[in-house]
Amino acid sequence: MRMLPVSSAVAVALCVALSALPSAAFAAGTPGASSFTIADPRIKESSGLAASRIHPGVYWTHNDSDDGPYVYAVDSATGKTVARVTLTGIGKPRDVEAISLGPDGQLYVGDIGDNRNGTWDHVWIYRFQEPKELGDVTVKATQFTVRYADGPRNAEALMVHPVSGRVYIASKDENKGGLYEGPQELSTGSANVFRRVADVPWVTDGAFSPDGGRLTLRGYFMARSYPWKDGLPQGEGERVDAPWQGQAESVTYTPDGGTLMFGAEGEASRVIAVPVAAPSAAPSNSAAPAAPGGPSAAEPRGGFTKGAVVLAVGLAVVFAAKRLLRRGTKP
C-alpha cells in the first residue's frame, strides 16, 4: 500500500470521530488461547481468514493487493507462516479481498474488490484444494469469472455455505449493500451471474457458522449474526461484540463453531478470538422480520447501535481515508 498525503481536515475529523466512540469499542477484544498475532512480515494487508478443518489451529489468509497469487497458512499457536501456496492457472490478481473454505475441502479466494467503486464488468473467484501437507507449494487453481445481475460493484466479503456449497458475495456500499447468491455450481465455461437476494449493512467480510445455521457479517464498526434459513438471512440479526481493529477486514468461525476470529490489515496484525454468544429469543409479539440491514424501531438501518451518528461519521471518514491511502489499481 503506497502512502499518499492525507489532508489535515481528514486527520482531524478522524480523530474527533474516533475519540467520540464508546471506550468499549477500543477494547483489545476478548482474550483467549486462540487469539494470535500474524508474525510474517510479508503479510501486511491480511484481508480474509478461513479456518482449516484438517490442520487444527491453522488459518488461511492473503494480502489485499500488490502481493501476487499467494495464500498463506498461519499457525495460531505461534503466529508463524507454515505454508505459502502459489496459485497458477489464473491471471494476475487485481484486488483479493476474501477467502472461504467449502464443504468440498476446497478454498475459494475472492478477487472481488473494485477500488474504482464498481467499474470492472467482472471479477474472479479462484478455487483450489486445501493442501493435506503444510509447506510452500505451487498449485493449479480453477478460475471463475463473476458478474452481477444488476451491474458492477465493489465487494470484500465472499462466503461459501458449508452445507450447500453455494457461494455468496456481499457488496460494500455505505448506503445499502447487497447479498448476492451465485449459481448452484460455478462454471468455467461462461460468466457466473450472482443475483441480489437481500440487503445488508456496510460489510468488509462475512462467514457462515460450521453447521450453516448462521451468517455473521462484519464492517469497520459493527458485526451482526443472522439466522440462516431457506437460503436467506433472517430478520435484523443480532449484534456481535466485535473488537475495534481500525482497518477491520476479516472474520471466520473456528471449526467447532464456538469462537469468531476477527482480523485486520497492517503489519503484525492481531487476530482476536471472541466467543460466540447464544442467540437471544425473539419477542413473541415481534413483527415479521425485515430484510437484513432494514430499519427497525430499535436502531437505525445498517446495524448501528449506541453512538450511531458518531459511528456513521467515523465510517465516512475511514472510507474517504482508505480511498486516499490506497493506490489506484488498473482494470
Side-chain angles (χ1 to χ4, degrees):
M1 180 182 297
R2 184 176 63 188
M3 301 300 290
L4 299 176
V6 181
S7 70
S8 58
V10 171
V12 170
L14 181 59
C15 291
V16 171
L18 296 183
S19 64
L21 289 172
S23 59
F26 291 88
T30 304
S34 294
S35 297
F36 64 96
T37 298
I38 297 176
D40 192 333
R42 296 173 297 181
I43 306 175
K44 297 180 176 66
E45 296 183 272
S46 175
S47 190
L49 282 175
S52 173
R53 297 195 195 106
I54 60 177
H55 304 295
V58 168
Y59 293 86
W60 294 97
T61 189
H62 53 82
N63 281 311
D64 190 337
S65 56
D66 295 333
D67 182 38
Y70 306 119
V71 178
Y72 302 83
V74 179
D75 184 357
S76 61
T78 64
K80 296 180 179 180
T81 296
V82 291
R84 185 174 84 159
V85 177
T86 302
L87 306 183
T88 62
I90 64 174
K92 182 180 179 181
R94 289 189 299 204
D95 193 357
V96 179
E97 292 286 357
I99 187 168
S100 185
L101 184 60
D104 53 4
Q106 298 197 83
L107 286 160
Y108 293 69
V109 179
D111 191 354
I112 56 176
D114 188 339
N115 293 333
R116 299 187 177 184
N117 200 29
T119 58
W120 294 329
D121 65 356
H122 68 277
V123 290
W124 299 298
I125 294 172
Y126 313 127
R127 186 180 69 188
F128 65 97
Q129 191 71 35
E130 180 180 14
K132 292 182 171 57
E133 302 292 333
L134 293 174
D136 291 355
V137 65
T138 298
V139 302
K140 185 175 182 180
T142 302
Q143 177 172 303
F144 302 98
T145 299
V146 170
R147 289 191 171 93
Y148 300 98
D150 53 358
R153 58 208 57 252
N154 189 23
E156 293 191 5
L158 177 147
M159 300 77 63
V160 182
H161 194 272
V163 177
S164 70
R166 201 153 199 161
V167 182
Y168 295 84
I169 294 173
S171 66
K172 181 181 178 183
D173 192 301
E174 65 269 30
N175 297 315
K176 183 183 288 185
L179 182 68
Y180 290 80
E181 179 186 73
Q184 187 170 357
E185 293 185 8
L186 297 179
S187 169
T188 57
S190 59
N192 296 272
V193 178
F194 278 60
R195 304 183 185 281
R196 189 178 183 121
V197 295
D199 294 340
V200 294
W202 176 285
V203 173
T204 58
D205 202 14
F208 284 107
S209 60
D211 63 3
R214 299 193 72 85
L215 172 66
T216 294
L217 300 174
R218 84 164 303 179
Y220 293 128
F221 298 108
M222 67 85 202
R224 298 194 74 81
S225 180
Y226 302 89
W228 185 264
K229 184 178 180 182
D230 299 327
L232 291 171
Q234 304 295 307
E236 296 283 335
E238 299 194 7
R239 186 178 65 85
V240 176
D241 290 326
W244 164 254
Q245 292 181 292
Q247 193 69 27
E249 289 281 337
S250 57
V251 65
T252 190
Y253 280 85
T254 53
D256 63 3
T259 304
L260 282 161
M261 307 294 292
F262 291 92
E265 288 190 4
E267 293 187 35
S269 61
R270 186 78 171 156
V271 177
I272 299 173
V274 176
V276 174
S280 60
S284 59
N285 62 347
S286 62
S296 72
E299 61 177 302
R301 184 178 64 80
F304 291 106
T305 53
K306 185 177 181 181
V309 175
V310 173
L311 293 181
V313 173
L315 180 59
V317 173
V318 170
F319 174 73
K322 183 175 182 182
R323 295 188 68 178
L324 285 171
L325 291 171
R326 174 160 297 179
R327 184 179 65 190
T329 307
K330 293 182 180 180

